[in-house]
Amino acid sequence: PAFETMSASPPAGRRLNRNGAMRVHQRVDAASVAHDGSGALAYEGYGSDGYLIQFSGMDQMDGAIETINITDLEGFTKALRWVTATAESAIDTGEWCCLTTKLDTYNVRDLLKWGTSDAEPLTVSFWVKSSLTGTYTMSLYSVRTSGQRSLSKTYAISSANTWEKKTVTFDADTGGNAMHAGSEQLCIMWALASGSQWDSGGSTSSWQDYAHATWLGQNGNDAIITTASASFLMTGVQAEVGSTATDFEYKSYEEELRDCQRYSYVMGEQAYSVFAMGAIESSTTFLGLVNFPQTMRSIPSVTVSGTTRCWDASSATNTSSTGMQTNE
């Protein structure tokens, strides 16, 4: 008899990162960000859920990070976009800028098994589109019980304003200690600029204990941040165990939202929506119980914005700030 040969599909659940197609953006569609003037504080501005721009030491640069609709890449309808408005005239010694996402501690500890003799490599594939070509740097930054670990790799953007798929494989890290459940997550960082304090150590061919000079050790491209109107877009980000990149694993919007709400939950986005029930303690204080749709990664912090209306039995009102919880 004739038998039909069928190729095996990649297993479900292989994508370790959340929101790789940038479909979830709970906060806002765009966030304008600028230096804080202190020359020290690392600023964080979110675009798509789980993806943010971080920078430190900048004294001129500003721009916008946002989630945009795209129609020029088959299979994807959303992308994360950074656009530089005011360019940094030069990148000083202590300045740096990266786009960052984080993997859940449990995935690093249980699936990658870093810090043990059974450690696995990590492959990150993604689609990128930039107005500027050149060689760019990615870095992994991992906090362990024994201290920080890091490793950087490079990739090249060959054609301006054209979607290109990139694949970067990071070696397994058998050194250091394993991550524990309450530690900071593994950071995947796409460098957009770095001063000599962060890249003067040159190439890092293998994992090592964190040092300033080798954190972004192979970066030699600051043009995105030093060029007005320069743009950098990403989508289709997939981090997976092993040294081979598989096709992007699509998940339903509900699954992606669920994963994102473990880190951030925005309440009261629509008029007359109820986000808490409780009691008015005073003219300025409301005590309420909020039911989170997912178990949060850790005890949440709260960011407040806008106003809310608290109703009592006689329809009297008391106006106070609403709460938007975030805990990336």
Side-chain angles (χ1 to χ4, degrees):
F3 294 93
E4 181 179 359
T5 301
M6 300 182 66
S7 58
S9 299
R14 63 190 183 280
R15 175 156 60 88
L16 305 183
N17 59 298
R18 64 193 185 279
N19 202 27
M22 312 298 170
R23 296 169 65 196
V24 180
H25 45 108
Q26 295 184 80
R27 293 175 178 81
V28 291
D29 288 332
S32 297
V33 297
H35 65 87
D36 65 354
S38 72
L41 181 67
Y43 183 86
E44 297 187 350
Y46 283 89
S48 308
D49 268 43
Y51 296 81
L52 67 156
I53 190 163
Q54 297 178 292
F55 53 88
S56 181
M58 300 294 176
D59 50 13
Q60 296 165 308
M61 181 269 283
D62 59 37
I65 186 169
E66 58 186 331
T67 302
I68 65 168
N69 296 320
I70 59 172
T71 58
D72 56 347
L73 180 60
E74 185 177 359
F76 298 96
T77 60
K78 301 283 187 179
L80 176 74
R81 180 174 68 181
W82 165 260
V83 177
T84 301
T86 303
E88 195 78 2
S89 60
I91 303 301
D92 296 333
T93 299
E95 295 179 340
W96 63 268
C97 180
C98 293
L99 290 171
T100 301
T101 192
K102 301 174 183 179
L103 298 189
D104 195 285
T105 302
Y106 289 103
N107 288 334
V108 179
R109 187 189 65 178
D110 300 337
L111 300 179
L112 291 170
K113 302 182 285 293
W114 286 355
T116 75
S117 60
D118 296 324
E120 300 277 0
L122 175 71
T123 294
V124 182
S125 55
F126 58 98
W127 287 90
V128 62
K129 177 181 178 181
S130 177
S131 60
L132 300 175
T133 61
T135 300
Y136 292 81
T137 295
M138 290 179 65
S139 178
L140 297 188
Y141 174 76
S142 175
V143 177
R144 315 286 180 81
T145 55
S146 60
Q148 300 90 350
R149 302 275 288 172
S150 67
L151 174 63
S152 61
K153 298 282 187 177
T154 61
Y155 65 97
I157 296 178
S158 303
S159 300
N161 301 312
T162 302
W163 284 109
E164 299 177 355
K165 186 175 183 179
K166 305 301 174 184
T167 299
V168 181
T169 297
F170 294 89
D171 300 335
D173 186 13
T174 57
N177 286 31
M179 298 175 73
H180 58 78
S183 68
E184 183 178 340
Q185 312 99 305
L186 169 70
C187 296
I188 304 174
M189 312 183 82
W190 289 261
L192 300 183
S194 62
S196 59
Q197 179 179 339
W198 312 104
D199 62 20
S200 61
S203 175
T204 54
S205 58
S206 60
W207 279 94
Q208 59 187 284
D209 291 337
Y210 171 81
H212 286 349
T214 55
W215 172 44
L216 300 173
Q218 302 182 73
N219 184 56
N221 194 336
D222 304 326
I224 295 294
I225 301 304
T226 58
T227 304
S229 301
S231 60
F232 189 95
L233 293 77
M234 284 197 311
T235 194
V237 179
Q238 178 156 293
E240 55 190 308
V241 177
S243 56
T244 302
T246 62
D247 291 341
F248 183 79
E249 180 182 5
Y250 291 92
K251 299 181 181 179
S252 69
Y253 181 83
E254 290 77 12
E255 289 177 295
E256 296 284 17
L257 179 61
R258 178 199 64 198
D259 291 344
C260 290
Q261 286 179 333
R262 172 168 156 76
Y263 291 81
S264 177
Y265 174 43
V266 179
M267 296 165 281
E269 292 182 278
Q270 299 178 354
Y272 304 108
S273 60
V274 176
F275 66 87
M277 298 185 67
I280 299 174
E281 184 181 56
S282 68
S283 61
T284 58
T285 304
F286 171 77
L287 300 178
L289 177 65
V290 176
N291 293 313
F292 292 98
Q294 304 296 330
T295 300
M296 304 300 292
R297 183 186 68 85
S298 62
I299 297 174
S301 58
V302 175
T303 301
V304 297
S305 62
T307 58
T308 188
R309 192 175 297 272
C310 301
W311 295 84
D312 66 18
S314 59
S315 297
T317 64
N318 178 40
T319 301
S320 61
S321 293
T322 64
M324 182 184 76
Q325 184 277 327
T326 177
N327 188 37
E328 288 283 358

